Amino acid sequence: MRSGSRRGEPRQPPVGGGDVAAARLRSRARALPAPAPGPGLPRPGRAAPPPRPRLPDPRPWAAPAAGGARPARPGPRQSGAQRAGVAAGAGAGGSVPPALLSVSMKVEFAPINIPLKRRIQTVAVLQWIFSFLLLAEFCFGFFVILILGNFWFLAVLYLLWLYLDWGTPCAGGRRSHWVRSWTVWKYFREYFPIHLIKTSELNPNHNYLLGFHPHGVLVAGAFGNFCTDPPFKNLFPGLTPYLHIMPLWFGCPFFREYIMSAGMVSASKESVSHVLSNKGGGHASVIVIGGAEESLNAHPGSLTLNILKRKGFIKMALKHGAHLVPVFSFGENELFKQVANPKGSWLRNVQEKLQKIMGFALPLFHARGVFQYSFGLIPYRQPIHTVVGSPIPVKQNLNPTTEEIDQLHALYLQKLKKLFEEHKSNYGIPAHKSLIFE
């Protein structure tokens, strides 16, 4: 047993051991060289520098306002695109670009307390949109179901009828006064509303070729004025209008019967010649001169017409001695918005190629819906004023020369421009705007 310890007693540390270790550490620290003064530390023997003034915090909510209250802290953190848009808007006058605002824009719903008449007008336009865009496909699908189903014999009977009736769209069609007088067309015209403006008398003893401008997206003004009764019949008694449309629609089963009942006929040369060859007069061929290609220019505010290279209707008027009548439909291009497709863009190139292949254009348009005003395919409630100009007398010439066609074409353009200039102020078009012919 070690000395100084007793059995049963706890072992005690040596006296003064901790003090010795601390003394050794202090002596080693004194032996080390003094550290060089770093930045911000005063050198030995010198006074400490005065404190630097504190810069103001750039955050507006960090500093108290004049009254002592702090400004409100901004909302959620914005993305880089949003900050760039806000900065661009502030530089242009403090407003955010509409393209960024539309991202967060809420859907604007229609009020519940809309009058019943306006609801019916919307339904009438909805069925017209369905007829224009989907009814042909629906009729074709129904025909296929008949062939593949138990009622195939009905499809065979219709095919026989189609064979026997194939030439009717080129021979004046088969209009139905009952279909043209449906009440639904009254509500359809009142939705926009559609107005037909008469500027001169049209003698029913002559045949006329009416050039309709512009095409718009869905040619609502031409349909409402020339395919429904009684607007045209009341203003021009004794004249029967025939709206010429693309021949391919008359090859669709069942759908052809519907459009012929409204007074539509083929736009082929044979069909136009048949209408203008009426010996007693009283026929009016309505041709949308710009065609499907012009629908690609149907943007709100657009006044571009595809007409410089379209001279076939001039030749038809000369051959049959039909008087030419320019018609301009104000508001036709305001019914829909269309995806931007400037000439030379990839979208426009694709649309033009498809138009050449299929025969009709595919404008990417949109407007409003049934129960909301933010998106959809129902046209906006914009008034349409279709102004019928004064007739241009045409003397019959069975073999017109190129010079004669060009001369009459130039006269037609002059009359069309004059018609537009005389009436544009009545329908909200600025004085500095004019028609653009392409």
Side-chain angles (χ1 to χ4, degrees):
M1 178 177 294
R2 298 179 180 180
S3 60
S5 64
R6 297 179 182 180
R7 185 185 298 263
E9 294 182 358
R11 184 177 181 180
Q12 299 292 334
V15 178
D19 297 338
V20 173
R24 289 178 180 177
L25 290 178
R26 285 194 296 269
S27 61
R28 290 179 182 178
R30 284 194 297 268
L32 293 176
L41 297 178
R43 293 181 179 272
R46 294 186 180 182
R52 296 181 181 180
R54 185 175 183 180
L55 297 178
D57 198 318
R59 298 172 297 176
W61 62 87
R70 293 182 181 271
R73 187 183 181 92
R77 183 177 181 181
Q78 295 176 321
S79 64
Q82 289 174 324
R83 291 194 298 270
V86 172
S95 60
V96 182
L100 294 180
L101 287 177
S102 62
V103 175
S104 60
M105 181 181 63
K106 296 182 180 180
V107 177
E108 181 184 0
F109 289 95
I112 300 177
N113 58 344
I114 287 182
L116 178 61
K117 184 178 181 179
R118 290 176 65 88
R119 294 289 190 189
I120 298 176
Q121 292 169 359
T122 304
V123 173
V125 174
L126 178 62
Q127 68 84 26
W128 175 73
I129 290 289
F130 170 78
S131 301
F132 199 103
L133 299 179
L134 298 175
L135 185 57
E137 292 80 358
F138 180 82
C139 291
F140 185 80
F142 178 70
F143 181 75
V144 173
I145 292 175
L146 288 180
I147 294 178
L148 301 179
N150 296 329
F151 298 95
W152 57 267
F153 60 93
L154 294 178
V156 173
L157 291 176
Y158 185 81
L159 284 175
L160 178 60
W161 161 256
L162 190 62
Y163 173 77
L164 297 175
D165 194 60
W166 188 257
T168 302
C170 296
R174 186 170 45 250
R175 69 180 53 226
S176 169
H177 176 69
W178 174 67
V179 174
R180 291 172 59 92
S181 301
W182 281 352
T183 306
V184 68
W185 304 133
K186 171 180 174 291
Y187 289 105
F188 168 79
R189 294 191 301 267
E190 292 176 349
Y191 172 87
F192 300 95
I194 297 176
H195 302 283
L196 186 64
I197 312 300
K198 176 181 179 180
T199 63
S200 179
E201 294 289 342
L202 298 182
N203 191 337
N205 295 327
H206 297 288
N207 294 319
Y208 298 91
L209 195 157
L210 278 63
F212 184 90
H213 311 274
H215 184 285
V217 174
L218 299 182
V219 211
F223 179 86
N225 286 313
F226 304 115
C227 294
T228 66
D229 289 333
F232 188 85
K233 184 171 63 175
N234 289 346
L235 290 179
F236 303 99
L239 285 180
T240 303
Y242 295 84
L243 180 61
H244 297 270
I245 64 174
M246 297 179 61
L248 66 89
W249 297 118
F250 297 97
C252 182
F254 306 115
F255 182 70
R256 67 190 296 271
E257 320 300 335
Y258 175 66
I259 57 180
M260 278 197 294
S261 65
M264 301 184 206
V265 293
S266 173
S268 63
K269 293 181 180 180
E270 179 185 358
S271 177
V272 177
S273 296
H274 182 274
V275 174
L276 298 180
S277 298
N278 191 34
K279 298 298 181 182
H283 283 187
S285 285
V286 183
I287 302 177
V288 184
I289 305 299
E293 182 182 358
E294 194 174 82
S295 65
L296 300 179
N297 293 328
H299 296 269
S302 175
L303 297 173
T304 302
L305 304 181
N306 292 40
I307 191 175
L308 290 181
K309 297 181 180 180
R310 298 180 179 267
K311 302 179 181 180
F313 71 103
I314 299 292
K315 188 174 182 179
M316 295 298 296
L318 283 169
K319 282 188 173 182
H320 297 280
H323 295 352
L324 285 169
V325 181
V327 179
F328 195 88
S329 191
F330 292 89
E332 192 74 39
N333 285 341
E334 315 302 321
L335 305 183
F336 298 93
K337 294 179 180 178
Q338 191 174 163
V339 176
N341 58 344
K343 288 192 174 183
S345 62
W346 69 269
L347 176 58
R348 186 60 171 262
N349 293 334
V350 170
Q351 290 174 324
E352 290 177 349
K353 289 180 180 179
L354 291 177
Q355 191 265 331
K356 292 179 180 178
I357 295 173
M358 300 183 298
F360 56 90
L362 295 174
L364 301 180
F365 62 93
H366 59 92
R368 52 157 292 188
V370 179
F371 302 109
Q372 45 76 29
Y373 303 131
S374 301
F375 59 89
L377 297 179
I378 296 181
Y380 295 114
R381 285 183 181 265
Q382 295 290 339
I384 300 175
H385 296 87
T386 304
V387 183
V388 181
S390 302
I392 304 173
V394 177
K395 186 177 180 180
Q396 186 175 12
N397 186 350
L398 297 178
N399 297 300
T401 63
T402 304
E403 291 76 12
E404 292 172 335
I405 295 176
D406 292 343
Q407 183 179 1
L408 183 58
H409 185 262
L411 178 61
Y412 179 85
L413 295 182
Q414 180 183 347
K415 294 294 185 181
L416 175 61
K417 188 173 183 179
K418 180 181 178 182
L419 176 69
F420 174 82
E421 294 294 335
E422 289 178 349
H423 294 85
K424 67 179 183 180
S425 60
N426 299 333
Y427 308 115
I429 297 182
H432 66 277
K433 284 199 169 186
S434 298
L435 294 179
I436 301 175
F437 297 143
E438 291 185 349

